[in-house]
Amino acid sequence: MRHQRRTDLSGSAEITEAGAIQRLQASVQRLEHSERLQRALFAIADMAASGLDMQSLMEGLHRSIAQLMYAENFLIAQHDPERGTVRFLYFADVMDGSIFQPGQEFSVEQLRDTLTLRLIQRAQPMRGPSDTIARALGLKQGHGIGTPSVDFMAVPMCRDGQVLGILAVQSYEEGRGYTQSDEHVLAFVAGHVLNAVERKQGQEALERRVAERTRELACANAKLQEQVRESERAAHLQATLYRIAALSHGEDGNEAFYRSIHRAVGELLDVESFCIALISDDGQWLDFPYYVDSSGAELQRRPMGWGMSEYAIRRAQTLLIDADEVNALIAQGEVDAVTYGTPAVSWLGAPLMGAQGVMGMVVVQSYRADLYYTQQDAELLTFVSYQIANTLQRRQQAEALQTLNAELEERVQERTQELRRQIVVREQAQKQLKHQVMHDSLTGLPNRLYLRERLERAFDAQKLDPAHGFALLYLDVDRFKLFNDGLGHGVGDEVLRIVSARMADCVRAPDIVGRLSGDEFAVLLEDCPQPSAACLVAERIQTRMAEAIEVGGRQLHISVSIGIAMSRQAYRTVDQLVHDADTALYRAKASGRQRFVMFDEALHVSAMNVLDLEQQMRDALEQGQFVAYFQPIVRLADGGVTGYEALIRWQHPELGLLGPGQFLPAAEKTGLIEAIDWHMYGLACRAAPALLGQDKILNINISPCHFHSRNFPQRLLDLAAQAGVATDRLCVEVIESSLLADPDTATEILGSLHEAGVRIALDDFGTGYSSLSHVHRFPLRTLKIDRSFIAPLGLDSPQRSTAIVSAVLGLARSLNLGVVAEGVETTAQRDALLSMGCVHGQGFLFGRPAPATGLP
């Protein structure tokens, strides 16, 4: 028994020791696993901070995870919730390695029935055979999972509760599976992988932005350098011109003066041949006091003949001529070939103009095929010719004065100086007076008088040269009255000055910008043969005006409307051109402002028609040709009349009865619409007592122009009271566009009518800009459904119209509003409306508009 006890104790000790060994081994394994995990995390962090490209980073992440578990088959998918895309950053699979390429991106719709998208949407770790996981995620067998695996494990990569991708490993071999511990490790590593991926993507994005910014800076630097070079060229040109002008006032002899002029001109253009020719006092000889010629030609004094210099002297203007033109002049007998001398590739000469006419010429020539003078060179040489001529005249006058008696010279000089002072004072006064008369005091721009003078000159130039074309742009500042009235005249004046300066920046000499009056401006393009050129200027002006301005502590946005008229042979007076430009401006403003319109024949005909129609409408008002017609508004169920809409007709003495569409648009353009409306309201109210009885309603239409007058409600109520029409028997119909121009004023006017008992109806409901907001904002009693929604009812496919009409009826019932369906012309339409619950209607089915005496 004792031996048995010792045996039992010995066995128990062995078991205890074995358990301790097992626990120690497990602890060692956990430490080794923890060390591998820590090394893997360190490796991931190092790779994220390194300069590896994305593909190398992905391969490194694969190797790190393979140290922690079996990961021969491994993928990383990144999810972008905002863009709705999934990108496979890495995909390695021994069975399906060619399914996805690195960096390949798909939309959510493309991956709709795939295991990857379902795992992202599930947002939880999953482990097990791929077929089992697919069934758990609602995928059909074999759909979107690739080759089935023996064991599959995926964990989401999340941040702030949002899934930004998944990590997945899988095994195709029996005995190689994944444990709960592997799942925890992969889930722990997923956050670090996401950080590494996002950091690498951030680095790549930053590098792209840096590269892009570098390219932009390089382009900007190139442009700046070009501007600097251009500025240097301009500065050099200006300095040289100043030096040439200063030379004319020097006291050097003629030879030194000519040589200095030659050197100065040589800094600006190539002058391998430079010559100054002067006509003798008797006009019979041509002298050459200074010349330099690379061809070696020697110029001797010669009688005035048929050389190139003599030809230019006869023309008395700067000439730029090439070799072909010289040959043509020789062929015409204008130039003698022998006298001309060595043929030049390009010949440029400017006359020396004196008090008695041409004094001589300054000539440059090119013998090289690669050197042609330009018009800019001609302008420069013309300037030089002025300086030479001025110097020669001054020196000739000085020599003449030296021959006079000293006493007479002194007296003449004193008198001359006095006269000069008087002349300067007078000229300055005249110049200042003329400037004040011809320019606007606020902006400093030319005024209407100056513009008219320039237009007269442009007309004269076109008469001499019919090919000479010019254009007139009429401009008006949009919403200027709002700036002037709302922010004060000081702000308005500053806006005008800014507009003036911006327009002046958009044109070049000799074009001018003028202020006509108020916020009206004009631009004269004196050399504008094509309409496209005028359109480009108009576009440039509107683009310049689109830039915001800072005035009175506010940031304002200004725009202009522009009317353009091109010069034509048909114009006989300046007023005709101005009228057409003004007509085009009116059309531009009527078309929505901030645009330009070119006047053409169609506008001319339209303007003439409107003028004729305007006079006829004025006569019609005086003679009572406008009459009131009434169309019944009925109950759809029994056809009982509940009211009438008053409609205007024109009983034209020649054309018969005209509908509103034939004259009301012209009435709105000419401003007669308000007078015609009040005439119509008077007719309707006077006919109402006999027509309405005790229970009917009179509907009248209100034009948008009446919403500019705050006394409109009281005037209408007074008119109704004089005619004996109760306010609760009166209904005004407005269209949505009437409410858009000034919603606050419209609310005030409609509110006054509503408080007086007048009903308010919104006409053509559903065709405007924001019908629901109008229903909510304004005190409406009735909605009139537009006929465009009623017409399809009763046809084969009225579903859309039925849905719209039903929606309007439901809206009206919920807001306790009445509804009238317009344009009911068939019984099928009436029946359809009745079936939807519509109570009232109006249209040809129940009666056409007729005079009050012709109604039942």
Side-chain angles (χ1 to χ4, degrees):
M1 186 71 179
R2 182 179 302 171
H3 176 74
Q4 180 66 36
R5 184 176 181 183
R6 283 197 303 268
T7 301
D8 291 343
L9 290 174
S10 174
S12 176
E14 291 176 357
I15 291 172
T16 301
E17 183 178 359
I21 293 173
Q22 288 179 353
R23 285 192 300 275
L24 182 60
Q25 289 176 344
S27 176
V28 170
Q29 289 176 352
R30 285 195 300 273
L31 289 174
E32 291 177 350
H33 185 271
S34 176
E35 184 178 358
R36 288 198 305 273
L37 178 60
Q38 188 174 15
R39 286 199 300 271
L41 294 178
F42 284 151
I44 291 172
D46 289 341
M47 286 186 290
S50 69
L52 295 175
D53 58 24
M54 181 61 77
Q55 183 60 29
S56 299
L57 174 64
M58 295 295 103
E59 293 172 354
L61 293 175
H62 187 186
R63 289 193 299 271
S64 297
I65 292 175
Q67 296 175 5
L68 303 175
M69 64 191 69
Y70 176 71
E72 187 174 5
N73 307 297
F74 175 67
L75 74 84
I76 302 176
Q78 187 177 25
H79 176 225
D80 189 336
E82 293 183 359
R83 297 176 58 230
T85 59
V86 175
R87 176 184 294 178
F88 289 89
L89 299 179
Y90 188 76
F91 187 87
D93 194 289
V94 297
M95 303 298 290
D96 300 325
S98 60
I99 292 181
F100 302 115
Q101 299 300 321
Q104 190 172 6
E105 188 175 62
F106 298 90
S107 67
V108 170
E109 182 62 26
Q110 290 176 308
L111 300 177
R112 180 176 57 184
D113 294 325
T114 62
L115 183 61
T116 300
L117 182 61
R118 295 294 176 88
L119 289 168
I120 291 173
Q121 294 171 341
R122 181 69 175 266
Q124 292 180 357
M126 297 197 74
R127 179 166 51 88
S130 59
D131 287 341
T132 302
I133 293 175
R135 286 193 300 272
L137 294 175
L139 290 174
K140 297 181 180 178
Q141 185 172 3
H143 280 234
I145 61 173
T147 303
S149 59
V150 173
D151 201 3
F152 180 91
M153 180 171 62
V155 298
M157 296 188 296
C158 301
R159 175 164 286 112
D160 299 329
Q162 192 173 41
V163 178
L164 300 180
I166 60 168
L167 297 181
V169 294
Q170 58 182 336
S171 170
Y172 298 105
E173 301 178 13
E174 293 289 347
R176 280 197 170 185
Y178 302 102
T179 65
Q180 183 69 34
S181 175
D182 292 334
E183 180 179 318
H184 291 321
V185 169
L186 191 60
F188 181 73
V189 171
H192 295 273
V193 171
L194 178 60
N195 290 336
V197 169
E198 289 183 338
R199 183 172 182 180
K200 178 57 63 178
Q201 289 176 337
Q203 290 175 350
E204 292 179 346
L206 178 60
E207 291 172 357
R208 287 194 298 272
R209 289 195 297 273
V210 169
E212 181 179 353
R213 183 57 179 165
T214 302
R215 289 193 297 272
E216 292 176 353
L217 291 175
C219 293
N221 184 52
K223 292 180 180 178
L224 181 60
Q225 291 178 349
E226 179 60 28
Q227 291 174 356
V228 170
R229 288 192 293 269
E230 185 64 29
S231 177
E232 291 174 348
R233 286 194 294 269
H236 181 241
L237 172 61
Q238 190 67 35
T240 304
L241 293 179
Y242 281 141
R243 192 164 74 255
I244 291 173
L247 289 173
S248 65
H249 298 285
E251 296 301 326
D252 295 337
N254 287 343
E255 178 68 22
F257 169 70
Y258 296 147
R259 191 179 302 109
S260 299
I261 289 289
H262 182 197
R263 285 197 299 268
V265 173
E267 293 180 12
L268 300 177
L269 65 153
D270 197 331
V271 286
E272 57 187 13
S273 176
F274 181 86
C275 162
I276 296 176
L278 297 177
I279 303 173
S280 62
D281 293 338
D282 59 5
Q284 301 299 314
W285 294 87
L286 191 64
D287 295 319
F288 300 91
Y290 183 86
Y291 69 90
V292 173
D293 196 290
S294 62
S295 69
E298 295 186 2
L299 300 178
Q300 303 292 335
R301 187 188 195 203
R302 67 173 184 242
M304 291 290 291
W306 300 95
M308 278 297 301
S309 297
E310 290 90 334
Y311 172 75
I313 290 172
R314 291 195 298 273
R315 295 291 300 275
Q317 65 184 65
T318 301
L319 296 179
L320 176 58
I321 302 174
D322 59 23
D324 292 338
E325 292 172 319
V326 172
N327 293 333
L329 292 174
I330 294 174
Q332 296 169 9
E334 293 286 346
V335 175
D336 177 63
V338 176
T339 307
Y340 172 51
T342 305
V345 173
S346 182
W347 189 95
L348 174 59
L352 304 176
M353 302 300 298
Q356 305 301 322
V358 180
M359 301 167 56
M361 292 291 298
V362 57
V363 178
V364 295
Q365 299 182 86
S366 167
Y367 302 109
R368 303 200 326 249
D370 61 339
L371 175 58
Y372 282 87
Y373 297 117
T374 65
Q375 191 61 41
Q376 184 178 3
D377 298 332
E379 294 173 358
L380 172 63
L381 196 63
T382 300
F383 176 83
V384 172
S385 72
Y386 292 156
Q387 308 309 317
I388 297 175
N390 290 338
T391 302
L392 292 177
Q393 289 183 92
R394 182 175 58 82
R395 294 184 179 187
Q396 289 173 357
Q397 293 170 0
E399 292 173 358
L401 289 174
Q402 290 175 1
T403 63
L404 298 177
N405 184 275
E407 182 180 352
L408 180 61
E409 178 182 359
E410 182 178 352
R411 290 166 57 189
V412 170
Q413 287 180 352
E414 290 176 353
R415 183 58 180 163
T416 301
Q417 290 175 1
E418 181 63 27
L419 289 174
R420 285 177 177 172
R421 284 193 296 269
Q422 294 177 4
I423 290 172
V424 168
V425 172
R426 185 181 299 113
E427 287 178 347
Q428 289 177 347
Q430 291 176 347
K431 183 177 181 181
Q432 183 177 3
L433 180 61
K434 183 176 180 180
H435 186 275
Q436 291 174 351
V437 172
M438 306 289 280
H439 288 74
D440 171 56
S441 60
L442 175 65
T443 63
L445 294 178
N447 58 16
R448 186 184 298 272
L449 184 62
Y450 185 95
L451 178 68
R452 189 175 187 85
E453 181 181 297
R454 291 290 292 269
L455 280 171
E456 295 285 1
R457 287 165 51 185
F459 267 85
D460 293 339
Q462 190 177 51
K463 291 176 183 176
L464 296 175
D465 181 12
H468 174 75
F470 59 96
L472 180 64
L473 281 63
Y474 248 46
L475 301 92
D476 183 282
V477 181
D478 298 331
R479 304 181 302 136
F480 176 73
K481 190 175 187 301
L482 179 62
F483 299 145
N484 210 36
D485 295 346
L487 302 178
H489 293 287
V491 172
D493 290 346
E494 185 60 23
V495 169
L496 292 177
R497 282 191 284 267
I498 293 174
V499 169
S500 303
R502 289 187 174 183
M503 283 195 293
D505 292 341
C506 295
V507 300
R508 301 290 183 267
D511 304 331
I512 64 168
V513 176
R515 182 189 178 200
L516 304 181
S517 64
D519 62 327
E520 292 185 357
F521 296 83
V523 177
L524 173 60
L525 307 178
E526 289 197 349
D527 185 13
C528 184
Q530 299 297 329
S532 57
C535 293
L536 286 175
V537 174
E539 290 175 354
R540 189 159 60 238
I541 291 174
Q542 290 186 327
T543 301
R544 185 75 173 87
M545 294 302 169
E547 301 171 10
I549 63 174
E550 191 79 17
V551 180
R554 293 174 177 267
Q555 190 176 59
L556 304 180
H557 295 271
I558 57 176
S559 63
V560 295
S561 298
I562 305 174
I564 306 173
M566 301 296 299
S567 61
R568 298 183 299 171
Q569 294 296 324
Y571 289 128
R572 293 292 179 265
T573 64
V574 170
D575 291 332
Q576 291 176 331
L577 177 67
V578 171
H579 175 271
D580 289 350
D582 190 44
T583 300
L585 172 60
Y586 179 86
R587 178 59 62 89
K589 296 184 75 68
S591 300
R593 305 178 186 273
Q594 199 173 353
R595 62 190 63 203
F596 63 88
V597 170
M598 178 75 66
F599 185 88
D600 56 15
E601 190 60 31
L603 273 180
H604 175 72
V605 173
S606 175
M608 295 303 296
N609 290 341
V610 169
L611 290 175
D612 293 339
L613 189 56
E614 178 185 5
Q615 186 57 47
Q616 293 180 27
M617 287 189 292
R618 292 184 185 278
D619 295 339
L621 277 171
E622 294 177 1
Q623 299 170 15
Q625 295 175 8
F626 293 109
V627 296
Y629 273 49
F630 300 86
Q631 186 176 28
I633 300 172
V634 305
R635 289 188 299 273
L636 295 175
D638 57 5
V641 177
T642 61
Y644 295 92
E645 180 180 357
L647 303 169
I648 192 169
R649 297 292 186 269
W650 183 1
Q651 191 63 54
H652 197 282
E654 298 175 2
L655 303 178
L657 189 65
L658 302 180
Q662 297 173 273
F663 59 91
L664 284 187
E668 292 177 349
K669 289 181 180 179
T670 58
L672 287 175
I673 184 65
E674 187 171 0
I676 293 175
D677 276 351
W678 283 112
H679 175 77
M680 175 63 185
Y681 300 156
L683 294 176
C685 287
R686 286 192 291 273
L691 186 65
L692 300 181
Q694 299 298 320
D695 57 350
K696 297 182 179 63
I697 305 298
L698 174 65
N699 287 32
I700 60 173
N701 292 281
I702 306 302
S703 300
C705 65
H706 296 296
F707 287 90
H708 299 298
S709 175
R710 296 182 183 273
N711 68 344
F712 170 78
Q714 189 58 49
R715 186 176 176 184
L716 181 63
L717 294 173
D718 291 344
L719 182 64
Q722 293 172 7
V725 180
T727 55
D728 61 347
R729 300 291 93 195
L730 193 61
C731 177
V732 296
E733 295 187 12
V734 296
I735 58 176
E736 294 186 63
S737 60
S738 302
L739 310 176
L740 292 178
D742 190 351
D744 293 334
T745 303
T747 302
E748 179 182 346
I749 290 175
L750 295 180
S752 298
L753 293 172
H754 175 71
E755 290 175 3
V758 177
R759 303 165 186 257
I760 312 296
L762 184 59
D763 198 10
D764 300 335
F765 182 77
T767 62
Y769 298 90
S770 53
S771 301
L772 293 179
S773 65
H774 295 162
V775 170
H776 174 74
R777 180 172 185 176
F778 299 102
L780 303 177
R781 288 280 297 275
T782 304
L783 303 178
K784 300 192 73 174
I785 304 177
D786 185 73
R787 63 181 64 250
S788 62
F789 302 119
I790 305 302
L793 299 180
L795 302 178
D796 294 335
S797 301
Q799 292 87 348
R800 292 175 61 87
S801 292
T802 301
I804 293 173
V805 173
S806 297
V808 172
L809 292 171
L811 173 66
R813 281 192 293 268
S814 64
L815 298 176
N816 196 25
L817 297 177
V819 175
V820 176
E822 292 184 301
V824 181
E825 298 182 358
T826 67
T827 56
Q829 293 170 348
R830 180 196 62 190
D831 295 340
L833 289 167
L834 281 171
S835 66
M836 287 185 282
C838 184
V839 178
H840 294 93
Q842 179 181 353
F844 292 167
L845 180 63
F846 312 110
R848 293 178 176 272
T853 56
L855 293 172

